[in-house]
Amino acid sequence: MSFILRRALLAIPSLFGLLVVTFLMIHVSPADPATTLAGDNATAEQIARIRHQYGLDQPLAVQFVRYVADVAQLDFGDSQYSSRPVATDLLGRLPATLELTLVALILATALGIPIGVVAAMHHNRWPDITLRLLSVAGVAVATFWLAIMLQMFFSMRLGWLPLRGRLTDGLAAPAGPTGLLLVDSLLHGDLTVFTDAFAHIVLPAATLALGGIATIARFTRAGVLDTMSRDFVQYARATGTPRQRLIWIYVLRNSVLAAVSQIGLLFGGLIAGSVVVESIFDWPGIGNYTVQAILTADSKVLLAVTLLIGVIYAVVNILTDLAQAAIDPRLRERR
């Protein structure tokens, strides 16, 4: 508990610094939110009225102090795009983004770790070389291009999976408790909604997971190769321990620490990367919401989303440290 508290306190200065940098970057941009909201045919008086309504005519320091005071009370103001409280919009859209990110992360982990182990077991042979080439390609492929190609092939040509959205029109989403359709539909025993929601999430999750698969595979491969060269592995080989048991039980546990760290970093990265994926697949999460905020220069939404992603990064990093300590008890003593 003391470790968690210490890490949470250390995250506060980082989050404050993130808030300062983002606030300054947004407010030094040439885009004028008041002009965007007023429209192309607005008069100077109308623009001035909107600027005064949202406090945009105040000095920058005054705007920042007022915003920090509101954030401390979990008040992010009203969205200029939706005219609703930003906190309400984020709470309504966050479950969709979290579900997409979690499915993508599970997919990346479930495929990345075995691929990395197989590559290490066939070091410098054709399976290893092939997997390394595919890993490089997975990182290099542009997300938006992959998303469009998957839509064209699996949705438009084959008709196997939905093209966009989170649930087919006409199907009612189960009422809570988590906001995650896959989880809530199982809790309510609604297999129709579960099947439909699963079909909708396959393509966006696969698009989002590709880079993560390649990253986890590379780190797992490096960890397995390093562990296999250690003395205890050589001793286990000499005693006749079966190769499969040696790799999947003894070697893997001592090799995944770096991969676990990457999984923690990937979670935050996937949420940030969901901006593109959600826009292409019309996924009703915070990524799609962020794109609309950028187009309308909605600074309050951009600040709130940035801070939210920063908080998620901090929480995931703490959970990652706890997971590493569970895998390697020696880390608990160092902390």
Side-chain angles (χ1 to χ4, degrees), residues 41-266:
N41 299 321
T43 64
E45 291 78 8
Q46 291 173 324
I47 295 176
R49 192 182 308 117
I50 291 176
R51 187 175 289 112
H52 178 73
Q53 176 183 348
Y54 288 99
L56 299 175
D57 54 348
Q58 298 291 325
L60 199 60
V62 174
Q63 293 184 48
F64 179 73
V65 171
R66 182 178 300 171
Y67 183 75
V68 171
D70 291 339
V71 168
Q73 304 175 47
L74 299 181
D75 178 10
F76 299 99
D78 293 336
S79 168
Q80 301 167 14
Y81 165 68
S82 66
S83 299
R84 293 189 299 267
V86 174
T88 301
D89 285 345
L90 290 180
L91 286 176
R93 293 173 174 269
L94 183 59
T97 297
L98 288 179
E99 184 172 45
L100 176 60
T101 303
L102 287 171
V103 172
L105 188 64
I106 291 172
L107 180 62
T109 304
L111 294 179
I113 290 179
I115 288 174
V117 172
V118 171
M121 292 174 63
H122 299 84
H123 181 50
N124 284 338
R125 286 180 282 177
W126 71 264
D128 181 27
I129 296 173
T130 301
L131 292 174
R132 277 188 287 172
L133 289 175
L134 292 176
S135 297
V136 173
V139 176
V141 169
T143 302
F144 71 89
W145 179 86
L146 176 63
I148 294 173
M149 292 300 104
L150 291 178
Q151 284 181 324
M152 291 178 62
F153 185 72
F154 289 102
S155 298
M156 302 175 68
R157 173 168 294 187
L158 299 179
W160 288 356
L161 296 168
L163 183 64
R164 59 171 62 91
R166 193 183 181 199
L167 200 64
T168 300
D169 293 339
L171 282 180
T178 66
L180 310 179
L181 289 184
L182 296 177
V183 176
D184 291 343
S185 59
L186 288 178
L187 292 177
H188 286 80
D190 193 338
L191 294 182
T192 301
V193 171
F194 176 83
T195 303
D196 189 80
F198 183 80
H200 278 81
I201 205 172
V202 169
L203 291 184
T207 304
L208 201 57
L210 182 62
I213 294 173
T215 300
I216 294 175
R218 291 204 316 272
F219 276 88
T220 302
R221 174 185 176 274
V224 170
L225 288 176
D226 178 66
T227 303
M228 290 179 65
S229 64
R230 296 183 182 179
D231 292 339
F232 80 91
V233 175
Q234 304 301 323
Y235 175 79
R237 282 180 173 177
T239 59
T241 302
R243 179 178 175 83
Q244 297 296 327
R245 179 179 176 83
L246 177 66
I247 294 294
W248 293 104
I249 296 181
Y250 298 105
V251 172
L252 185 58
R253 180 173 181 177
N254 290 275
S255 306
V256 296
L257 287 179
V260 169
S261 299
Q262 289 303 309
I263 291 172
L265 294 174
L266 275 174

Side-chain angles (χ1 to χ4, degrees), residues 92 187 244-245 304 308 313 317 328:
L187 292 177
Q244 297 296 327
R245 179 179 176 83
L308 175 62
Y313 260 111
N317 282 335
D328 188 351

Side-chain angles (χ1 to χ4, degrees), residues 254-300:
N254 290 275
S255 306
V256 296
L257 287 179
V260 169
S261 299
Q262 289 303 309
I263 291 172
L265 294 174
L266 275 174
F267 188 87
L270 290 176
I271 289 182
S274 67
V275 172
V276 174
V277 175
E278 288 186 6
S279 298
I280 295 175
F281 287 97
D282 195 22
W283 192 263
I286 61 174
N288 204 355
Y289 184 53
T290 303
V291 171
Q292 299 300 325
I294 293 173
L295 295 176
T296 57
D298 196 339
S299 59
K300 291 185 178 180

